[in-house]
Amino acid sequence: MHRRRRTALSVSVALLAAAPLLTACGNEAHPGAAAVVGGQRIEVSALQAQVQDVRDAQRGVPESEELIKNTGQLSQAKLNSMIFDRVLEKAADDTGVTVSRKEIQTTRQQAAAQSGGDEQFAAMLLQQGALSAGQIESAIRREVLLTKLAVALGANTTTPQGQQAVLNELTKTSEQLGIDVNPRYGSWDNKQVRLGEAKTPWITQLTSEAPEQEPPAGT
């Protein structure tokens, strides 16, 4: 029997679907926007499209009813990821960190190999992380970018001090961006860099199993 290691990616994306129910309240400050990040809108239609992609994929598997039931707060989870990605991109850009297409492809190939192949990898991410096939690359980019940001900061993310260093950098960026979330989805927590009480696996699940990345140029 082939024993598969659970990668930082597989754990992280699984937990990203764990956002809690957030009660709607108040009026929309930005009609049609799920959130505004750094003056840039995340349209409700874009959020709904991500949710629909996952639901379509879930309906195509035998355990569809269970998967849909277990991801009842999918809109909050997806918005959490969409906002976080913008914060991470800005923090990485400010630090001079970039990610190449080759790095994303290599990381995906390694993760798929550990999971028994591309088909098994995609099935696992749909089941554990509520990711459709079209969303896998973005999730991998997030993991690679976060790992390289930690390297650029000199943070050892296997220690609480290293995790806090990355969190501090992301918190600073989050505050600078001035994130405004449509109340129907909850509110953004700058200190934890998350939507409401959503999990933060991008800090707690970074491990030495993550692919080693080259430091950014100039460091």
Side-chain angles (χ1 to χ4, degrees):
M1 179 178 178
H2 178 64
R3 185 177 181 180
R4 300 196 297 267
R5 283 193 311 167
R6 175 172 279 197
T7 65
L9 170 66
S10 66
V11 176
S12 176
V13 295
L15 291 177
L16 278 174
L21 174 63
L22 299 166
T23 304
C25 60
N27 298 316
E28 295 183 25
H30 305 276
V36 178
V37 183
Q40 301 297 312
R41 295 161 61 94
I42 296 177
E43 301 291 349
V44 171
S45 58
L47 172 60
Q48 291 174 338
Q50 286 213 10
V51 172
Q52 189 60 49
D53 283 347
V54 174
R55 292 299 187 219
D56 289 343
Q58 289 175 330
R59 293 186 184 101
V61 298
E63 64 272 25
S64 60
E65 184 175 345
E66 180 180 358
L67 288 182
I68 292 172
K69 180 180 178 180
N70 290 339
T71 54
Q73 312 312 318
L74 189 57
S75 292
Q76 283 81 7
K78 289 300 174 187
L79 182 57
N80 186 62
S81 297
M82 294 170 80
I83 297 173
F84 177 76
D85 282 347
R86 296 196 181 193
V87 175
L88 177 58
E89 289 283 353
K90 180 66 165 58
D93 184 62
D94 290 346
T95 314
V97 173
T98 61
V99 173
S100 69
R101 175 72 175 166
K102 182 178 180 181
E103 287 173 315
I104 295 173
Q105 291 175 334
T106 298
T107 302
R108 180 167 185 167
Q109 290 168 357
Q110 292 173 346
Q114 292 174 7
S115 301
D118 288 335
E119 186 175 341
Q120 292 88 337
F121 183 52
M124 178 190 71
L125 294 184
L126 175 62
Q127 182 177 40
Q128 298 182 6
L131 286 173
S132 68
Q135 296 169 1
I136 293 175
E137 187 167 305
S138 293
I140 293 175
R141 176 181 173 80
R142 179 187 308 126
E143 297 301 322
V144 175
L145 195 59
L146 185 57
T147 300
K148 293 186 70 173
L149 175 62
V151 171
L153 295 173
N156 179 0
T157 54
T158 63
T159 67
Q161 294 84 356
Q163 294 170 9
Q164 188 63 46
V166 177
L167 178 59
N168 290 343
E169 184 68 22
L170 293 171
T171 291
K172 180 180 71 175
T173 303
S174 181
E175 291 172 343
Q176 291 173 348
L177 287 172
I179 298 167
D180 182 17
V181 176
N182 186 317
R184 73 172 64 177
Y185 301 109
S187 60
W188 185 255
D189 185 337
N190 285 318
K191 293 188 180 300
Q192 295 299 317
V193 198
R194 67 189 185 189
L195 185 61
E197 297 179 358
K199 302 296 183 182
T200 51
W202 35 267
I203 290 293
T204 59
Q205 296 301 329
L206 283 176
T207 72
S208 57
E209 291 184 330
E212 183 177 351
Q213 304 294 338
E214 296 181 0
T219 59

